[in-house]
Amino acid sequence: MINVGIVGGTGYTGVELLRILAQHPKAKLKVITSRQEAGTGVDDLFSSLRGQITLKFSDPLKVDFGKCDVVFFATPNGIAMQQVSALLGSGIKVIDLSADFRIKDVAEWEEWYGMSHTAPELVAEAVYGLPEVNREKIRNARLIANPGCYPTAVQLGFIPLIEAGAVDENHLIADTKSGVSGAGRKAEIHTLYAEASDNFKSYAVAGHRHLPEIRQGLSERSGKPIDLTFVPHLTPMIRGIHATLYARLTRDVDLQALYESRYANEPFVDVLPAGSHPETRSVRGSNFCRIAVHRPRNGDTAVILSVTDNLVKGAAGQAVQNMNIMYGLPEKMGIQHIPLLP
Amino acid sequence: MINVGIVGGTGYTGVELLRILAQHPKAKLKVITSRQEAGTGVDDLFSSLRGQITLKFSDPLKVDFGKCDVVFFATPNGIAMQQVSALLGSGIKVIDLSADFRIKDVAEWEEWYGMSHTAPELVAEAVYGLPEVNREKIRNARLIANPGCYPTAVQLGFIPLIEAGAVDENHLIADTKSGVSGAGRKAEIHTLYAEASDNFKSYAVAGHRHLPEIRQGLSERSGKPIDLTFVPHLTPMIRGIHATLYARLTRDVDLQALYESRYANEPFVDVLPAGSHPETRSVRGSNFCRIAVHRPRNGDTAVILSVTDNLVKGAAGQAVQNMNIMYGLPEKMGIQHIPLLP
Amino acid sequence: MINVGIVGGTGYTGVELLRILAQHPKAKLKVITSRQEAGTGVDDLFSSLRGQITLKFSDPLKVDFGKCDVVFFATPNGIAMQQVSALLGSGIKVIDLSADFRIKDVAEWEEWYGMSHTAPELVAEAVYGLPEVNREKIRNARLIANPGCYPTAVQLGFIPLIEAGAVDENHLIADTKSGVSGAGRKAEIHTLYAEASDNFKSYAVAGHRHLPEIRQGLSERSGKPIDLTFVPHLTPMIRGIHATLYARLTRDVDLQALYESRYANEPFVDVLPAGSHPETRSVRGSNFCRIAVHRPRNGDTAVILSVTDNLVKGAAGQAVQNMNIMYGLPEKMGIQHIPLLP
Amino acid sequence: MINVGIVGGTGYTGVELLRILAQHPKAKLKVITSRQEAGTGVDDLFSSLRGQITLKFSDPLKVDFGKCDVVFFATPNGIAMQQVSALLGSGIKVIDLSADFRIKDVAEWEEWYGMSHTAPELVAEAVYGLPEVNREKIRNARLIANPGCYPTAVQLGFIPLIEAGAVDENHLIADTKSGVSGAGRKAEIHTLYAEASDNFKSYAVAGHRHLPEIRQGLSERSGKPIDLTFVPHLTPMIRGIHATLYARLTRDVDLQALYESRYANEPFVDVLPAGSHPETRSVRGSNFCRIAVHRPRNGDTAVILSVTDNLVKGAAGQAVQNMNIMYGLPEKMGIQHIPLLP
């Protein structure tokens, strides 16, 4: 059994980690921390977990992770970077679901995240936890930078085209739509039900923190710098990301064959039949990314549709997928939930 | 392994049965029928099942259930009663999720359902599949009448009080709220998104088909005829039933202790701590019924709050729970999904 | 023209007052205050008002209401009671949409609202602004206590039966459902989209602040103390209240005729034809209360269904209706919006 | 007073026309037809209209439009083209909200709409009713082809850039999102609440009927053929369209100034301040189109955000705007509703 700790388990990625780990055959949840909820039973805060988890939240200042093999950080940005070094020093592996170790260029990270990085020496070591790209590196990693929700859906959508060198890499467009849980479990006005329901809007068109992460990932695939226009939208649904991706083709390519081939052996990427329109509910509560490819009226614009559950493949599920890889377990173990439809 | 057939698998209870059975350790789905979708792959209709189920829908007129041990009917009312006799005659057990065998008084059934019953001789034999009441009978049953969604939530909420003989049995009130999936996957105007969203209304106040079913169940518990006022409401959510139950107490009773005691050994009924307000999402996608009991300002009116997922404990999950009991399997096998929250 | 001021215009009742008053033929909005948004343009905060209102929010500590004839308070409880006396002293009338002057028994108010009342001498003078009951008193009032949202829907539903003396007044039940805007525009976790969407729950079953207000109003109608069980529920919709009311009849009564007669001359109470089920969207954005009456299977339990828009007839619309009455204007002036459907 | 008839008043554009016309100071509704609802009171079908409209639906085969000055068609495609000629011959003007007269190239229309056009001779005469482009022609028109919902939002978003000749006209992208009411009030499975709620998907990526309409309109503005990629999405909200438009700039241009200047005198197009993100609820129930313009990181990609209410500016509101222009009324008369927020 792998002994697991969670730092910051009261947000949506936290409760999703709990849902998944509570039934993972090889994981044993040992400790979970929360500043605000220390002493509260996990199932008092989340009644969905009654009968599943008997742990109480621990005070993060008093907690001992000594019995843990791996610790997940489901914390706001800027927390993990302060604590990871000590854990690694104790031989404990870390999977960070925040953004602290995702961007290799520390100066760029500091600019986008508006704070100084306190562990720049670990940034280079951290492995970006997108198994479809970095599976081998993940296997031996001590520190995983778990990808952001938008970057997962967008990269999985663009990667085959980028790797094939078949598109104009300076004019990619990612028009993305996220459910409201992507904003986290924070008391804020703009994500209130009465604000976000029956409403649709874009945000952060001038620049979103996931943009440098996507650029970095796609540039690595390309071998040269890529650029893209990234427009996120807030959608009146709880979970789900729908990325509608546009790329100008620079040569003729069989999109369907290209995508099916690239993801033939990927357990969690599902290329739909030609002509399909994936819907977010088809992955609700599951670790799948479903992708469909189109080339309207046979023109030079490819349209790629990529859907994920932002809390699973876009966060907690992918984190457990990384854990499975790190510990040599079957990659699908404990994350084979069938999507909840309707 | 138990070989399973499903008749009518294209509705919401059908796809929910598929979700559950696809991962049940002891069930093997052999055949599924649909008039309209014969020949279509199950996963073509429900993309959430891609990679899980490779069956195609069979034509119900040509299907052979010979290899099945048990057949589930997820059909409109009036279908199962025509086919059950032949299946039972072949030694195949039946779990009927429709209403055909729920009401023991055939004349009353015919009045509420507006058709003649074609298998009245089987009505007496059929066991009403509410395990919390009929577990022993279910064990040996050939034919299960799986309870309706409202009746499950309402009966589980009232049963402890009725059995304790502590209430005025002629003035029970059940104010119930259901998600829109309770209306089924039928093309109708009143359940369109643009009609049912951002809207709340009651329906069938003059009389709803689940009323005689509830009356029958509670009268059996009581030993005398009970009466209740039953008002269902359509709620803008996909899944979930919330029953708010009112009963006038005829003697002093410790509600909390009464309910905890009654359901102490029930794997799927969860009595919440005193003062709780269960929410429907706390059971979303799961087989739980969560109940809280209140006695406002210590008056003589008890308020019982009971929530279920109408498609799971209110339909497909309870059907599989019955199957587990019928075949001597652990009662929780394959239906231990943790609710999806948020 | 009536010169109008608004204290606290950044909540949902505030923006709804703005929407209504901006097009009221006889009202001229002179000043609107907000602590947090002082200096911000009203239409910068609420883009729906662009081109309609050019005022900026004023600092409440520096504001001068000298040019106003009437001031609306759309503030949290406890604010109006501190400021009303000075305004009345300057000859300015006040319509308070908060709860400060609704309860005549000051001790009871203090118990339910958890603070000391700073203007108890004005409580007696304040007129409870339910026009269907107090129209004549409203005409000459200086200070209106505008009713709460639940109390409006529940009282309008029960009043005909209470006035007719036809029910058991000790066992009334009000099972009420409110859209999430009823909780206000406050940054709180339980009203986030990802918490309140696709979910249904009750709250405050042990006791809600609107209970004493309803009891007071109905007891006045009855002439003796009445008691009721009041259970509010949070419903995944933006606007709307649906009150499902249960009363035991103590004598035979023609419910339909009783209600039609009682409200025959009321411009904003609409008694639906027998057998109807009012839906909340049928009053969305309008000042109507629509009511239907039922007596299931001709038993002794009356079921009354009453729907309103909590922000209009339950708050801002009723406040303007009161203003119209106070100033001798046609009662319907400026509040004749047709409900937005779908 | 203008005497008005409506053909096909039971859909969402029909009921929206009724809501608007019922309070229009210069319109008098004389007759409304419906095949299915002939004889039913308009307010029996739409309880939101109780007290507003006393007409009954007339049988379209027996109806006499002789007293009408203008007739609105809110019918499925293919109906208006059969009836318009007779009406025009009787001196009655027609505003067609369906697609029958929108496309000047009859062959192209027949291809996209899958039927033969029965009144090709009227296609040339019909004026495309987008006032921001065709105001003068509308003034003298007998027959208005009222624009589609997507085409209105997309054209208003692109027009300033196209007219300025500042973009690559062969690679425009319109990523559009519509509320579910855009699919009409038809009994279909894919728009059921339980299908469309908490879900997001694209549709018709291979080709949507609004594509040729947009191409035609923009090409007229440009003077040369333009091409665009058009991807519509179904969004879990009732009303609203959000068009996210991408264009590659071919020369430097001050987007904000360009748009403000182009729409300076337009009563229903609102260009938001630089940096804004319009939300669909900011136009809910109103005839406004709100637009914001962006140029992320000062690159060569312009991002234009355009929102409308699909049933108002995208249908019924624009139709009444056209009527106002045709009859020399103030253009804003009767369509100045303030958006309903929240």
Side-chain angles (χ1 to χ4, degrees):
Chain A
M1 294 297 283
I2 304 163
N3 292 314
V4 171
I6 298 177
V7 182
T10 63
Y12 292 138
T13 51
V15 64
E16 193 67 355
L17 267 177
L18 292 169
R19 178 177 76 94
I20 295 170
L21 291 171
Q23 295 191 332
H24 192 287
K26 291 291 184 189
K28 172 96 185 117
L29 189 62
K30 302 296 284 186
V31 63
I32 178 164
T33 73
S34 164
R35 258 180 318 160
Q36 296 198 340
E37 301 291 345
T40 304
V42 165
D43 61 355
D44 289 335
L45 193 65
F46 299 115
S47 56
S48 57
L49 295 171
R50 283 176 60 85
Q52 311 290 341
I53 291 178
T54 52
L55 277 178
K56 288 185 193 309
F57 289 105
S58 299
D59 184 333
L61 300 178
K62 300 179 185 164
V63 75
D64 175 13
F65 287 109
K67 294 181 182 161
C68 294
D69 299 303
V70 61
V71 170
F72 292 86
F73 280 83
T75 43
N77 300 318
I79 307 293
M81 65 183 180
Q82 299 174 32
Q83 303 182 18
V84 164
S85 181
L87 291 168
L88 294 180
S90 305
I92 299 170
K93 298 187 178 187
V94 170
I95 299 173
D96 177 23
L97 284 82
S98 82
D100 288 8
F101 297 98
R102 290 180 193 157
I103 306 292
K104 294 300 180 189
D105 181 330
V106 173
E108 186 170 29
W109 186 91
E110 293 181 333
E111 186 190 329
W112 282 93
Y113 287 88
M115 55 182 115
S116 295
H117 206 295
T118 61
E121 71 285 358
L122 292 172
V123 171
E125 176 186 346
V127 174
Y128 188 70
L130 192 63
E132 291 77 8
V133 168
N134 284 336
R135 186 168 281 113
E136 290 314 309
K137 290 184 186 164
I138 292 164
R139 225 179 280 286
N140 303 301
R142 292 195 306 167
L143 170 58
I144 296 289
N146 209 58
C149 53
Y150 284 127
T152 296
V154 173
Q155 288 178 83
L156 292 176
F158 271 135
I159 280 172
L161 271 175
I162 299 284
E163 290 178 346
V167 292
D168 172 357
E169 291 164 319
N170 291 312
H171 292 95
L172 302 174
I173 290 173
D175 189 290
T176 59
K177 301 86 174 172
S178 174
V180 187
S181 67
R185 192 168 166 272
K186 288 173 301 206
E188 291 180 330
I189 284 182
H190 77 287
T191 48
L192 291 178
Y193 183 90
E195 300 286 311
S197 179
D198 208 46
N199 190 27
F200 189 88
K201 65 174 178 182
S202 67
Y203 61 101
V205 176
H208 184 284
R209 289 167 172 182
H210 285 171
L211 175 59
E213 183 181 340
I214 299 168
R215 269 200 309 231
Q216 168 184 284
L218 295 182
S219 297
E220 278 178 22
R221 290 296 89 203
S222 164
K224 355 174 236 237
I226 69 97
D227 200 8
L228 87 164
T229 299
F230 174 56
V231 177
H233 301 77
L234 190 67
T235 306
M237 60 185 178
I238 297 176
R239 291 165 178 246
I241 281 182
H242 187 292
T244 312
L245 309 175
Y246 302 89
R248 193 158 333 156
L249 296 172
T250 51
R251 62 177 174 83
D252 201 34
V253 61
D254 180 337
L255 290 174
Q256 188 70 26
L258 176 68
Y259 277 70
E260 289 183 359
S261 162
R262 175 60 177 84
Y263 292 126
N265 298 312
E266 284 300 336
F268 293 111
V269 182
D270 176 27
V271 178
L272 300 180
S276 298
H277 300 89
E279 48 187 3
T280 58
R281 66 176 184 156
S282 78
V283 298
R284 187 192 288 140
S286 85
N287 200 48
F288 292 105
C289 173
R290 299 200 205 272
I291 294 177
V293 295
H294 290 260
R295 192 171 163 183
R297 284 155 301 129
N298 228 18
D300 65 359
T301 300
V303 179
I304 313 299
L305 311 166
S306 167
V307 301
T308 60
D309 183 321
N310 55 304
L311 297 180
V312 190
K313 184 62 178 170
Q318 185 148 266
V320 174
Q321 186 179 357
N322 283 318
M323 182 191 79
N324 288 344
I325 297 171
M326 292 164 84
Y327 287 91
L329 302 172
E331 192 165 332
K332 302 200 279 185
M333 180 176 276
I335 41 178
Q336 292 185 276
H337 310 82
I338 299 180
L340 196 67
L341 178 156
Chain B
M1 294 298 282
I2 305 162
N3 292 314
V4 172
I6 298 177
V7 182
T10 63
Y12 293 139
T13 52
V15 64
E16 193 67 354
L17 267 177
L18 292 169
R19 180 178 74 95
I20 294 171
L21 291 172
Q23 295 192 333
H24 191 287
K26 291 289 183 191
K28 174 96 185 112
L29 189 61
K30 303 295 284 187
V31 63
I32 177 163
T33 73
S34 163
R35 258 180 317 161
Q36 296 199 340
E37 301 291 345
T40 304
V42 166
D43 61 354
D44 288 335
L45 192 66
F46 299 116
S47 57
S48 57
L49 296 171
R50 282 175 59 84
Q52 311 290 341
I53 292 178
T54 52
L55 278 178
K56 289 186 195 306
F57 289 105
S58 299
D59 185 332
L61 300 178
K62 302 179 185 164
V63 74
D64 174 13
F65 288 110
K67 294 181 183 160
C68 294
D69 299 302
V70 60
V71 170
F72 292 86
F73 280 82
T75 43
N77 301 317
I79 307 294
M81 63 184 183
Q82 300 175 31
Q83 305 183 16
V84 164
S85 182
L87 291 169
L88 294 180
S90 307
I92 299 170
K93 298 188 178 186
V94 170
I95 299 174
D96 177 23
L97 285 81
S98 83
D100 288 7
F101 298 98
R102 291 180 191 157
I103 306 292
K104 294 299 179 190
D105 182 331
V106 173
E108 185 170 29
W109 187 90
E110 292 181 334
E111 185 190 329
W112 283 92
Y113 287 88
M115 54 182 116
S116 296
H117 206 295
T118 61
E121 71 286 358
L122 291 174
V123 172
E125 175 185 347
V127 174
Y128 188 69
L130 193 63
E132 292 76 10
V133 168
N134 284 336
R135 187 168 281 112
E136 291 314 310
K137 290 184 186 163
I138 294 165
R139 225 179 280 285
N140 303 303
R142 292 194 306 167
L143 170 58
I144 296 289
N146 209 57
C149 53
Y150 285 128
T152 296
V154 173
Q155 289 179 83
L156 291 177
F158 271 135
I159 280 172
L161 272 174
I162 299 285
E163 290 178 347
V167 292
D168 172 358
E169 290 164 319
N170 291 313
H171 291 94
L172 301 174
I173 290 172
D175 189 290
T176 58
K177 300 88 175 172
S178 174
V180 186
S181 66
R185 190 167 166 276
K186 288 173 301 208
E188 292 180 331
I189 284 183
H190 76 289
T191 48
L192 290 179
Y193 183 91
E195 300 286 311
S197 178
D198 209 46
N199 189 26
F200 188 88
K201 65 174 178 183
S202 66
Y203 62 100
V205 176
H208 184 285
R209 289 169 172 181
H210 285 171
L211 175 59
E213 183 181 339
I214 299 168
R215 270 200 310 231
Q216 169 183 283
L218 295 182
S219 296
E220 278 178 21
R221 291 296 89 203
S222 165
K224 4 178 229 239
I226 68 99
D227 200 7
L228 87 163
T229 300
F230 174 57
V231 177
H233 300 78
L234 190 67
T235 306
M237 59 185 179
I238 297 176
R239 292 165 176 245
I241 281 182
H242 187 292
T244 312
L245 309 175
Y246 303 90
R248 194 157 332 155
L249 297 171
T250 50
R251 62 176 175 82
D252 202 34
V253 61
D254 180 337
L255 289 174
Q256 187 70 26
L258 176 68
Y259 277 70
E260 288 184 0
S261 162
R262 174 60 176 84
Y263 292 126
N265 297 315
E266 284 300 337
F268 291 112
V269 182
D270 175 26
V271 179
L272 300 180
S276 297
H277 300 88
E279 47 186 5
T280 57
R281 65 175 184 157
S282 78
V283 297
R284 186 191 290 138
S286 85
N287 201 47
F288 292 106
C289 173
R290 299 200 204 271
I291 294 178
V293 295
H294 290 260
R295 191 171 164 184
R297 284 154 302 128
N298 228 18
D300 64 0
T301 300
V303 179
I304 313 300
L305 311 167
S306 168
V307 301
T308 59
D309 183 320
N310 56 303
L311 297 180
V312 190
K313 183 62 177 170
Q318 186 148 263
V320 175
Q321 186 179 357
N322 283 319
M323 181 191 80
N324 288 343
I325 297 172
M326 292 163 84
Y327 286 90
L329 302 172
E331 191 165 332
K332 302 198 282 184
M333 181 177 276
I335 41 178
Q336 292 185 278
H337 309 82
I338 299 180
L340 196 68
L341 178 156
Chain C
M1 294 297 282
I2 305 162
N3 292 313
V4 171
I6 298 178
V7 181
T10 62
Y12 293 138
T13 52
V15 65
E16 193 68 355
L17 267 176
L18 292 168
R19 178 176 76 94
I20 294 170
L21 291 172
Q23 295 192 332
H24 192 287
K26 291 290 183 190
K28 172 95 185 119
L29 189 62
K30 302 296 284 189
V31 62
I32 178 163
T33 73
S34 163
R35 259 180 317 161
Q36 295 198 341
E37 301 290 345
T40 304
V42 165
D43 61 354
D44 288 335
L45 193 64
F46 298 116
S47 56
S48 57
L49 297 171
R50 283 176 59 87
Q52 311 290 342
I53 291 178
T54 53
L55 278 178
K56 289 186 193 309
F57 289 104
S58 299
D59 184 333
L61 299 178
K62 300 180 185 164
V63 74
D64 175 13
F65 287 109
K67 294 180 182 161
C68 293
D69 298 303
V70 61
V71 170
F72 292 85
F73 280 82
T75 43
N77 300 318
I79 307 292
M81 66 183 180
Q82 299 174 31
Q83 304 183 17
V84 164
S85 181
L87 292 168
L88 294 179
S90 306
I92 300 170
K93 297 186 178 186
V94 170
I95 299 173
D96 177 22
L97 285 82
S98 84
D100 287 8
F101 298 98
R102 291 180 193 157
I103 307 291
K104 293 300 179 189
D105 182 331
V106 173
E108 186 170 27
W109 186 90
E110 293 181 333
E111 185 189 328
W112 282 91
Y113 287 89
M115 54 182 117
S116 296
H117 206 294
T118 61
E121 70 286 357
L122 290 173
V123 171
E125 176 185 345
V127 174
Y128 187 69
L130 192 63
E132 291 77 8
V133 168
N134 284 336
R135 186 169 281 112
E136 290 315 308
K137 289 184 187 164
I138 293 165
R139 226 178 279 286
N140 303 302
R142 292 194 306 167
L143 170 58
I144 296 290
N146 209 58
C149 53
Y150 286 128
T152 296
V154 173
Q155 289 179 84
L156 291 176
F158 271 135
I159 279 172
L161 272 176
I162 299 284
E163 289 178 348
V167 291
D168 173 357
E169 290 165 320
N170 291 313
H171 292 95
L172 302 174
I173 290 172
D175 189 289
T176 58
K177 301 86 176 173
S178 174
V180 186
S181 67
R185 191 168 166 274
K186 287 172 304 206
E188 292 179 332
I189 285 182
H190 78 287
T191 48
L192 290 178
Y193 183 90
E195 300 286 311
S197 178
D198 208 45
N199 190 26
F200 188 88
K201 65 174 177 181
S202 67
Y203 61 100
V205 177
H208 183 284
R209 288 167 172 183
H210 285 172
L211 174 59
E213 183 180 340
I214 298 168
R215 271 200 309 229
Q216 168 183 283
L218 295 182
S219 297
E220 279 177 22
R221 290 296 88 203
S222 165
K224 3 177 229 239
I226 68 96
D227 200 8
L228 86 164
T229 299
F230 174 56
V231 177
H233 301 77
L234 190 67
T235 306
M237 60 185 178
I238 297 176
R239 293 164 175 245
I241 281 182
H242 187 293
T244 313
L245 309 176
Y246 301 91
R248 194 158 332 157
L249 298 171
T250 51
R251 62 177 175 81
D252 201 34
V253 61
D254 180 337
L255 289 174
Q256 187 69 27
L258 176 68
Y259 277 71
E260 288 184 359
S261 162
R262 175 59 177 87
Y263 292 126
N265 298 313
E266 285 300 336
F268 292 111
V269 182
D270 176 28
V271 179
L272 300 181
S276 297
H277 300 89
E279 48 186 3
T280 58
R281 65 176 185 156
S282 77
V283 297
R284 187 191 288 140
S286 85
N287 200 47
F288 293 105
C289 173
R290 299 202 205 270
I291 294 177
V293 295
H294 290 259
R295 192 172 164 183
R297 285 154 301 130
N298 227 18
D300 64 0
T301 299
V303 179
I304 314 299
L305 311 167
S306 168
V307 300
T308 59
D309 183 321
N310 55 303
L311 297 179
V312 191
K313 184 62 177 170
Q318 185 147 266
V320 174
Q321 186 179 357
N322 283 319
M323 183 192 80
N324 287 344
I325 298 171
M326 292 163 83
Y327 286 91
L329 302 173
E331 192 165 331
K332 302 200 280 184
M333 180 176 277
I335 40 177
Q336 292 185 277
H337 310 82
I338 300 180
L340 196 68
L341 178 155
Chain D
M1 294 298 283
I2 305 162
N3 293 313
V4 172
I6 298 178
V7 181
T10 62
Y12 293 138
T13 53
V15 64
E16 193 67 355
L17 267 177
L18 292 169
R19 180 177 75 94
I20 294 171
L21 292 171
Q23 295 192 333
H24 191 288
K26 291 288 183 192
K28 174 97 185 113
L29 189 61
K30 303 296 283 187
V31 63
I32 177 165
T33 73
S34 164
R35 259 180 316 160
Q36 296 200 338
E37 301 290 345
T40 304
V42 166
D43 61 353
D44 288 335
L45 192 66
F46 298 116
S47 56
S48 58
L49 295 172
R50 282 176 59 84
Q52 311 290 341
I53 291 178
T54 51
L55 278 179
K56 290 186 194 307
F57 289 105
S58 299
D59 184 332
L61 299 178
K62 301 178 184 164
V63 74
D64 175 12
F65 288 110
K67 294 180 181 162
C68 294
D69 299 302
V70 62
V71 170
F72 292 86
F73 280 83
T75 42
N77 300 318
I79 307 293
M81 64 183 182
Q82 300 175 30
Q83 304 183 15
V84 163
S85 182
L87 291 169
L88 294 180
S90 306
I92 300 170
K93 298 186 178 186
V94 170
I95 300 174
D96 176 22
L97 284 81
S98 82
D100 288 7
F101 298 97
R102 291 180 192 156
I103 306 291
K104 295 299 180 190
D105 181 331
V106 172
E108 185 169 29
W109 186 90
E110 293 182 334
E111 184 190 329
W112 283 92
Y113 288 89
M115 55 183 115
S116 295
H117 206 295
T118 61
E121 70 286 359
L122 291 173
V123 170
E125 176 185 345
V127 174
Y128 188 70
L130 192 63
E132 291 76 8
V133 169
N134 284 337
R135 186 169 282 113
E136 291 315 309
K137 290 184 187 164
I138 293 165
R139 224 179 282 284
N140 303 303
R142 292 194 307 167
L143 170 57
I144 296 289
N146 210 57
C149 53
Y150 285 127
T152 296
V154 173
Q155 288 178 84
L156 292 176
F158 271 134
I159 280 172
L161 272 174
I162 299 284
E163 290 178 347
V167 292
D168 172 358
E169 291 165 319
N170 290 313
H171 291 95
L172 301 174
I173 290 172
D175 189 289
T176 58
K177 300 88 176 174
S178 174
V180 186
S181 67
R185 190 168 166 273
K186 288 173 302 207
E188 292 180 331
I189 285 182
H190 77 287
T191 49
L192 291 178
Y193 183 90
E195 299 288 310
S197 179
D198 208 46
N199 190 26
F200 188 87
K201 65 174 178 183
S202 66
Y203 61 100
V205 176
H208 184 284
R209 288 169 173 182
H210 285 172
L211 175 60
E213 183 180 341
I214 298 169
R215 268 199 312 230
Q216 169 183 282
L218 295 182
S219 297
E220 279 178 22
R221 291 296 89 202
S222 165
K224 355 175 234 235
I226 68 98
D227 200 8
L228 86 163
T229 300
F230 174 55
V231 177
H233 301 77
L234 190 67
T235 306
M237 59 185 180
I238 297 175
R239 291 165 178 247
I241 281 182
H242 187 292
T244 312
L245 309 175
Y246 302 89
R248 194 156 334 154
L249 297 171
T250 50
R251 62 177 174 82
D252 201 35
V253 62
D254 180 338
L255 289 174
Q256 187 70 26
L258 176 68
Y259 277 71
E260 289 184 358
S261 162
R262 175 59 177 85
Y263 292 126
N265 297 315
E266 284 300 336
F268 292 112
V269 182
D270 176 27
V271 179
L272 300 181
S276 297
H277 300 87
E279 47 186 6
T280 57
R281 65 177 185 156
S282 77
V283 298
R284 186 192 289 140
S286 85
N287 200 47
F288 292 106
C289 173
R290 299 200 204 273
I291 294 177
V293 295
H294 290 259
R295 191 172 164 183
R297 285 154 302 130
N298 229 19
D300 64 0
T301 300
V303 180
I304 313 299
L305 311 167
S306 168
V307 301
T308 59
D309 184 321
N310 55 303
L311 297 180
V312 191
K313 184 63 176 168
Q318 186 148 267
V320 174
Q321 185 179 357
N322 282 320
M323 181 191 81
N324 288 344
I325 297 171
M326 291 163 85
Y327 286 91
L329 302 173
E331 190 165 333
K332 302 199 281 184
M333 181 177 275
I335 42 177
Q336 292 186 276
H337 310 83
I338 299 180
L340 196 68
L341 177 157

